[in-house]
Amino acid sequence: MNISPRAGKPADLSMLVNVPKLVTAYYTQVPDPSVQEQRVAFGTSGHRGSAFDTAFNEWHILAISQAICLYRKQQKIDGPLFLGMDTHALSEPALASALEVLAANGVNVMLAEGDDYTPTPALSHAILTYNRGRTTGLADGIVITPSHNPPHDGGFKYNPPHGGPAESRVTGWIEARANKFLDARLRAVKRMSVEKALRASTTHRHDYLNAYSTDLAHVIDMDTIRGANISLGVDPLGGAGIHYWEPIAERYGLNLTVVNKAVDPTFRFMAVDWDGQIRMDPSSPYAMQRLIGMKDRFDLSFACDTDHDRHGVVTRSAGLLPPNHYLSVAIFYLFQHRPQWRQQASVGKTVVSSQMIDRVTAKLGRTLYEVPVGFKWFVEGLHDGSLGFAGEESAGASFVRLDGSVWTTDKDGIVPALLSAEMTARMGRDPGELYRELTREFGEPAYDRVEAPATPEQKAVLLRLSPQQIRRTELAGETIRTVLTQAPGNDAPIGGVKVIAQSGWFAARPSGTEDIYKMYAESFRGPDHLRRILKEAQTVVNDALAIGASSENGLKKEHDRLNKRASGRVGTQA
């Protein structure tokens, strides 16, 4: 992975997105449905893309919104639809486009008071709060955000009545219907002007901020934080929670300072990420340079990404904690300081998260629920309380309330950030110090994630790998114990492969949005062993891709041969 020379430095003016040009492209560029890259495509976090690439334009949003209206009708979802947006430049135009369609279809829409921004967890919380105790007239929602993606991107996510990310069968249905609307040049899409939609009797206002913030005391011990009077710094990274932090501090009497109050769709205040792009990633040591530089000003500081569903925690003792470190500490703390949680409540993690979590979970006497990448796999468990905590290595997490009932079923960046303050206040040590204690007991893992280019054909091969295609028997000097292509927790395909030895492992999976694949690896024997794992993992994957490509070519040749024979028989009969 090549690190850009700009990484960690302030963004240069030449890098800033031209917002007027971007918004103009949103309205003027029309997608060509015959071009795959210009069709609607739901990945693990909704439909994403840039208007410059004709991948996120008005036609996409109109088509998706109409498809969601049809899905609601089919599923008899007839309660309100909670609609929120983040601070990306394309989010406000997309919200207007969606509202035009939703209002024309008679959907009761709940917009934020004062046209404010809405964090993803606040919208999930709103859906769940509304639906509590109901069996009919259920609510659902749409979050308009590309998460921490660069400023030129837009994103559009659908959350069904369970409040979390939609399942693949749901997004697949919506995606297919939306593309049919594109194919038909939007002929069946209902629409009214945004001015008329805003005045419609079906358009309402909802106080997301107060509904969410007043409920925080049911998931975080705010009294303990207030009593310790620890100094807290927060950088919203110009995101959807920008107006949430000061009211939260005022309501609960926290000694909290918002270090950056700017909302700027160019995100010019960000430090450049590893690849030379502006990206609002609170887990990136490059993007988080400014807050890291302030670490000694506060007892603890934290940040959230643009839709506030991811967190980053900066401690005096260790600086920015890698996500796996903080997830491990959070799990170890929560399951010992939440006496009302169910004794059977499990720990949820993705297959590419650290095995430190496995060791902590075993120590706690809890069950590990290991699933593919994607927070949608945790929704049911968080909803019914069978999961106490769920987290991803990409710094997304949520957990249940103090009484063990559901809080949010989508990722929540705000609550893990506040949890870091709770544990610091209660334990007298920050999460960096607490993680060091874990390493003394469980070992100190070295972890890395790298990316490598891959053609669409190679990505397809990697996606369909079987354990039998991994021919090696050793990994970095240790016998390979397990090769996984399905997750242990729910037997769902992981979309790649995971190879596990005694003290290390690696996983490889194709990206859903770029022509790359991602390699994750970890060693409990130190950085040198990790580098050896990564080197051998590259060879393993290259060999598997070669075998897969050979197999694919063989099948293609056989298919062509049979087709040729069939064509010959048809010609003779004619």
Side-chain angles (χ1 to χ4, degrees):
M1 190 161 68
N2 295 322
I3 305 299
S4 167
R6 290 179 167 178
K9 298 176 182 177
D12 188 85
L13 289 177
S14 63
M15 299 175 61
L16 303 183
V17 65
N18 184 325
V19 173
K21 190 173 181 180
L22 180 67
V23 173
T24 299
Y26 172 82
Y27 284 110
T28 59
Q29 292 184 201
V30 176
D32 179 352
S34 67
V35 178
Q36 187 62 38
E37 292 77 14
Q38 296 183 22
R39 293 176 70 79
V40 172
F42 275 79
T44 55
S45 294
H47 175 79
R48 293 184 185 178
S50 175
F52 289 144
D53 301 325
T54 324
F56 190 94
N57 302 78
E58 185 180 39
W59 275 39
H60 295 107
I61 305 310
L62 297 174
I64 296 170
S65 299
Q66 185 63 50
I68 288 172
C69 290
L70 293 184
Y71 177 78
R72 297 181 96 241
K73 186 174 182 180
Q74 183 204 65
Q75 297 295 315
K76 297 180 172 59
I77 302 169
D78 53 8
L81 183 143
F82 290 90
L83 180 60
M85 65 177 178
D86 76 357
T87 54
H88 275 80
L90 290 175
S91 294
E92 196 149 352
L95 184 139
S97 301
L99 182 62
E100 290 175 3
V101 174
L102 296 168
N105 281 271
V107 176
N108 282 286
V109 176
M110 310 298 281
L111 297 174
E113 285 191 352
D115 296 321
D116 202 358
Y117 307 107
T118 305
T120 287
L123 188 133
S124 177
H125 177 272
I127 295 170
L128 292 168
T129 301
Y130 183 89
N131 289 340
R132 188 178 297 132
R134 298 176 187 266
T135 56
T136 60
L138 298 178
D140 54 0
I142 293 171
V143 193
I144 301 174
T145 174
S147 190
H148 61 289
N149 274 29
H152 54 69
D153 277 359
F156 202 85
K157 300 194 301 182
Y158 175 64
N159 287 31
H162 57 51
E167 301 88 335
S168 298
R169 61 177 175 79
V170 177
T171 55
W173 193 97
I174 293 170
E175 176 186 307
R177 295 307 183 280
N179 281 318
K180 285 185 178 179
F181 288 130
L182 290 183
D183 291 336
R185 300 189 62 80
L186 305 182
R187 277 193 295 270
V189 172
K190 297 179 181 179
R191 185 182 185 187
M192 65 171 63
S193 71
V194 69
E195 294 80 11
K196 189 175 178 182
L198 286 167
R199 295 194 304 268
S201 62
T202 53
T203 299
H204 313 278
R205 296 291 172 172
H206 179 70
D207 190 352
Y208 289 97
L209 191 160
N210 279 308
Y212 178 86
S213 61
T214 57
D215 211 10
L216 281 169
H218 293 107
V219 67
I220 296 292
D221 185 352
M222 305 300 276
D223 291 339
T224 293
I225 303 174
R226 179 175 59 251
N229 196 37
I230 56 175
S231 60
L232 305 171
V234 60
D235 189 343
L237 301 183
I242 190 80
H243 300 140
Y244 278 58
W245 289 103
E246 287 186 338
I248 288 171
E250 184 177 349
R251 178 179 297 277
Y252 295 105
L254 306 184
N255 180 11
L256 183 148
T257 302
V258 178
V259 302
N260 172 29
K261 300 180 182 180
V263 175
D264 180 347
T266 68
F267 295 91
R268 68 183 68 224
F269 46 76
M270 290 297 302
V272 177
D273 205 5
W274 67 272
D275 58 353
Q277 292 206 64
I278 296 174
R279 187 179 288 110
M280 290 61 70
D281 183 355
S283 68
S284 165
Y286 303 103
M288 286 279 281
Q289 274 299 299
R290 183 175 53 182
L291 194 59
I292 293 170
M294 298 181 189
K295 73 182 181 69
D296 293 327
R297 280 181 52 187
F298 305 100
D299 293 315
L300 188 72
S301 49
F302 34 77
C304 293
D305 70 337
T306 328
D307 68 319
H308 270 51
D309 73 342
R310 299 176 194 236
H311 60 272
V313 176
V314 177
T315 67
R316 280 183 172 177
S317 66
L320 177 66
L321 285 186
N324 280 313
H325 294 196
Y326 182 61
L327 295 180
S328 301
V329 170
I331 292 163
F332 196 63
Y333 173 85
L334 280 168
F335 281 89
Q336 296 180 87
H337 293 90
R338 293 297 188 267
Q340 295 183 61
W341 283 13
R342 289 164 48 175
Q343 287 299 313
Q344 298 79 22
S346 301
V347 175
K349 62 164 272 191
T350 57
V351 292
V352 297
S353 300
S354 173
Q355 282 192 347
M356 175 66 90
I357 294 172
D358 305 42
R359 299 184 182 195
V360 166
T361 301
K363 172 75 173 183
L364 292 166
R366 299 284 176 157
T367 301
L368 188 71
Y369 180 66
E370 190 173 359
V371 298
V373 172
F375 211 76
K376 63 188 177 185
W377 303 108
F378 299 129
V379 171
E380 184 179 350
L382 288 169
H383 199 277
D384 64 21
S386 59
L387 287 176
F389 180 97
E392 299 182 310
E393 59 79 34
S394 55
S398 191
F399 45 92
V400 295
R401 295 169 183 255
L402 295 169
D403 66 1
S405 63
V406 63
W407 168 248
T408 64
T409 47
D410 211 330
K411 297 189 291 288
D412 188 333
I414 296 172
V415 159
L418 290 171
L419 178 70
S420 69
E422 179 193 325
M423 66 174 73
T424 301
R426 183 184 296 276
M427 305 302 290
R429 301 182 300 285
D430 69 37
E433 295 170 304
L434 295 173
Y435 183 74
R436 296 305 305 169
E437 293 176 11
L438 291 183
T439 63
R440 285 194 283 271
E441 182 171 359
F442 302 114
E444 185 168 0
Y447 180 99
D448 200 5
R449 188 186 87 177
V450 297
E451 298 173 352
T455 65
E457 293 75 20
Q458 288 174 323
K459 287 167 61 178
V461 169
L462 188 56
L463 199 64
R464 295 192 297 269
L465 275 182
S466 68
Q468 291 72 32
Q469 287 174 273
I470 306 300
R471 301 291 179 86
R472 296 173 73 103
T473 59
E474 287 192 351
L475 178 65
E478 296 181 338
T479 301
I480 291 174
R481 293 169 22 175
T482 310
V483 178
L484 298 175
T485 56
Q486 292 174 292
N490 60 358
D491 208 34
I494 65 175
V497 64
K498 182 175 182 179
V499 177
I500 306 168
Q502 181 175 345
S503 54
W505 60 270
F506 80 86
R509 53 181 291 270
S511 168
T513 56
E514 302 173 88
D515 284 337
I516 60 172
Y517 70 86
K518 299 178 181 181
M519 184 91 72
Y520 310 78
E522 183 175 49
S523 169
F524 276 81
R525 288 171 53 185
D528 289 342
H529 189 242
L530 174 65
R531 283 189 284 271
R532 186 175 172 189
I533 288 175
L534 282 167
K535 184 178 180 181
E536 293 187 16
Q538 188 70 67
T539 302
V540 170
V541 171
N542 288 344
D543 291 347
L545 288 175
I547 293 168
S550 174
S551 175
E552 294 273 323
N553 288 335
L555 288 171
K556 185 177 184 302
K557 287 178 181 178
E558 179 65 10
H559 182 266
D560 291 344
R561 185 180 67 82
L562 292 172
N563 278 345
K564 187 174 182 180
R565 285 182 60 190
S567 298
R569 284 197 300 270
V570 169
T572 303
Q573 291 170 356

